[in-house]
Amino acid sequence: MAVNTEIGHLPVAEQIWLTIAQEFSDLPDVAQATRVVVRLLLAALLGGLLGWERESQGKDAGVRTHMLVAMGAALFVTVAQLVGAQANEASRVLQGVMAGVGFLGAGAILKSSQNGEEYVKGLTTAAGIWFTAAIGAAIGLGEESSALIATVLALLVLTLVPWISRIASPTAAHSPPTDNARKGDASRE
């Protein structure tokens, strides 16, 4: 077992304390710690806004899910930056996050039948989870303004598009909920 020669001559309790301090030294200054905290809190806030919209519509993936997805994506990207990842390495982190969240979103998609017609349910929720991860990743990269704009646009899509669809198509009021899509008809999601 290798002994850190810098602290090996110190009493055991002091060695333990210094080792613990070294383990938490990944944030070398207040500015860096503040940056990480702000990014994670903003990711939680923006993810929570999207989750609140989904939860208010009775969808399973709500506030906590969206907050955790956004924070997780932000953390993956932020940690990659903290360890000095180059652009190509950060790109691989982003690819991993997006693919992983794609699998999470796939779990929200269900196929069912009603009155002899087949429906796919959960596409909008899955897309929302994926988009929430993208917002979190943008925050993790330090692109907070872009993430804020994307969140506002996503909220507009989630709230205004169903409203416009109901006004534009009177028959939409008698169709399945807006998160359902008839097989082969993605326009109804």
Side-chain angles (χ1 to χ4, degrees):
M1 181 162 119
V3 175
N4 186 340
T5 56
E6 294 175 15
I7 63 172
H9 65 284
L10 299 173
V12 173
E14 207 169 326
Q15 287 182 41
I16 291 170
W17 177 252
L18 288 173
T19 302
I20 291 170
Q22 287 174 349
E23 283 299 309
F24 287 93
S25 66
D26 56 323
L27 298 174
D29 55 38
V30 174
Q32 191 73 314
T34 302
R35 189 172 294 113
V36 170
V37 169
V38 166
R39 288 179 183 183
L40 292 176
L41 287 176
L42 184 60
L45 175 68
L46 297 183
L49 286 173
L50 291 175
W52 172 78
E53 190 286 330
R54 300 312 294 154
E55 202 168 280
S56 71
Q57 298 301 313
K59 306 306 175 190
D60 291 331
V63 174
R64 292 180 301 170
T65 302
H66 284 76
M67 288 175 83
L68 290 171
V69 167
M71 288 173 61
L75 183 61
F76 276 118
V77 176
T78 299
V79 167
Q81 287 181 335
L82 287 175
V83 298
Q86 300 300 317
N88 63 338
E89 296 163 328
S91 172
R92 285 195 296 273
V93 170
L94 288 171
Q95 290 170 10
V97 168
M98 293 300 113
V101 172
F103 279 105
L104 178 64
I109 300 172
L110 301 170
K111 182 180 174 185
S112 62
S113 328
Q114 182 179 355
N115 299 329
E117 290 190 52
E118 289 187 345
Y119 291 92
V120 177
K121 181 180 179 186
L123 291 174
T124 303
T125 298
I129 290 170
W130 189 73
F131 195 76
T132 299
I135 290 169
I139 293 168
L141 289 169
E143 302 296 330
E144 290 88 352
S145 297
S146 297
L148 188 58
I149 291 167
T151 302
V152 169
L153 291 174
L155 287 170
L156 288 173
V157 166
L158 291 169
T159 56
L160 291 181
V161 171
W163 180 74
I164 292 169
S165 294
R166 283 191 298 272
I167 291 173
S169 173
T171 59
H174 302 306
S175 18
T178 57
D179 202 2
N180 290 345
R182 194 169 16 167
K183 187 175 181 179
D185 183 10
S187 66
R188 299 183 81 185
E189 64 173 299

